[in-house]
Amino acid sequence: MTLMTPPARHTARPHGLRPTPKKRPDPTHFLFLIPTLVAFTLCIALPAVMGIFFSFTNSVGYGDWDFVGLANYQLMFTDPAIMASFWFTLWFSAVTVIVTNVIAFLLAVGLTSQIRARVPMRAIFVIPMVVSPIIIAFVFQFLFAKTLPAAAQAVGFGPLEESILANPDLAWASIVVVTAWQAIPQALLIYIAGLLAIPADLYEASALDGAGAWQQMRMITIPLMASYISINVIIAFKNFLNAYDIIVGLTEGGPGTSTRSVAMTIFSGFETGDYAYQMATATIFFLITLAIALVQLRLTRRKDQ
Amino acid sequence: MSALTIDSIGTTRKVPTNRAKGRMSRDKFNIPLTVTLALCTLAVLIPLFVTVNMAFKTGSQAVQGEAFVLPSPLSIEGFVQAWELTNFPVAFGLSAFVSAIAVAGAVLISSMAAYAIHANWERTFFRFAFFYVLAAMFLPFPVLALSQIKLSGLVGLDTPLGVGILHIMFMLGFNVLLLTTFLRGMPQELEEAARIDGASTWQTFWRVIFPVLSPMAATVGIFAFLFSWNDFMMPSMIIADPALQTLPVVNQLFQSQFSSNYHVSFASYLMAMAPAIVAFIFTQRWVLAGVTQGAVKS
């Protein structure tokens, strides 16, 4: 049933058919929805409103509190630790979005070509999606700390002979690798779905006109995949901004605080009694997430028209 | 290869794909590309291989930390120790309990809400409810976390049960979106026929709507399981008692005790990962179909 076309209605309907706006609604439908809405409000909406409210107070999470206006926000914007975690998170997300989507796109093109063992290979590439992020981060932590340096020493490659996890300038790379490793399957599946939707005769016609593989990619595949690319970029960006599990498993925000994400900074408020202060961080974080999502949606819409 | 294969997206297609370059004959495969992609699968398989490889070593061999040296002799010492150290049966049971709540709730509650919204789409209240739960998709968990810790502690839900409930509510927006989209494609006559036969709303839901929804509900259930089983952030924040933690959190809590007993740590990781991988192997067609449907439709 769409919005545009109301269903054809019989004049004499037995009682209890799909209600019209004039009829009284079916009480059972309210029963299906109201408890869920109440629970949802208590679990999601109330904490969100509470968090924003307390960001204007000096609450430590319990006991008395006073309004302090925008003091938390002023402090926050001059707090180097919080600003550093914001920049790290934005920058890491941007890099990982690019890495994830480039690899996923290339794999999708490969996995929809004339290759052998296509189905088992697709299944293998999807496995990373189903393993727990923190557990796989522990496995990679071992690989980065023990296996990679040992391999680098064996072939005499200097830069990697020390564990990159202990290097403040390189630790971020390990987080990009593991985050991308885990995020590629979802992007890959969406790209495969998009590539399968491209009519085959476009390729046949362009081949008859003498187009090479590279021209087909530029003139047919990439333009037709634009909307899939933007969906993937939005999903990935939104997920990466919340980076937490994988960082805990790999570096715990270290060395020092060089790989602390915004989520880690906010959670730290629970131990240190900075509840109201970190709620200001969370509010700004929410606004940034929302702004990025809306900007990307706007750009997508324009492309589609 | 047969003329028709079920490919992993869950659709049936003719084998020559739309990416066949020009007039390629039907049984000509691109071998260099096949080899390249097979090499790429190593990026997925190596970490998994290392996990299994390390888990089956003896303590004295595991300490050396050689990722690619095969276990000799094969030993389940690591599993035995991990089982006792982390109190695996309890953590496994709690993880299963949280996931079961999340799956049952995601399937039932989202389906009922989606049906109510779908059936009353002309009503402002129901349409508002739809956008209200949808808006939550933009709320990151870190924004809610500290307040949720406070609230769940107040009402005594700082337990696995509370995490299960939060998982349901977190997924609600996306699931309702998927299921209402799916219901719009359902012929209305089905529902009307049930009504004419005198079925109540309750009966209509169970006998007509839910069976129609079941393919999409299965997808919702599988994703609820994967999300809930693998989640670390919420249980680590919400569950107050370390003895009641789920598997991902237990593995993090025992990091320092694993130290260089790699056979114990990797056996523990493997036992935590295995259920999700096994579930995926059995349900991969729905998983693959679901990801694409969800993404393309939303």
Side-chain angles (χ1 to χ4, degrees), chain A residues 3 16 26 41 43 114 238, chain B residues 30 121 132 137 148 195 201:
Chain A
L3 284 174
D26 185 333
T41 304
C43 288
Q114 290 286 77
K238 188 172 158 283
Chain B
N30 186 335
W121 188 245
Y132 176 56
M137 284 167 64
Q148 277 178 339
R195 290 306 172 106
T201 310

Side-chain angles (χ1 to χ4, degrees), chain A residues 223 225-231 233-234 237 290-305:
Chain A
M225 292 291 285
S227 63
Y228 293 90
I229 293 172
S230 42
I231 286 173
V233 168
I234 293 170
F237 218 113
L290 196 64
I292 288 173
L294 292 177
V295 166
Q296 286 176 329
L297 279 174
R298 175 64 54 86
L299 291 175
T300 319
R301 289 257 165 79
R302 199 163 296 164
K303 257 189 219 142
D304 285 350
Q305 291 159 4

Side-chain angles (χ1 to χ4, degrees), chain B residues 230-248:
Chain B
N230 291 329
D231 186 34
F232 166 79
M233 224 189 300
M234 270 189 249
S236 72
M237 288 286 141
I238 301 292
I239 299 176
D241 183 353
L244 295 177
Q245 279 296 5
T246 57
L247 279 172

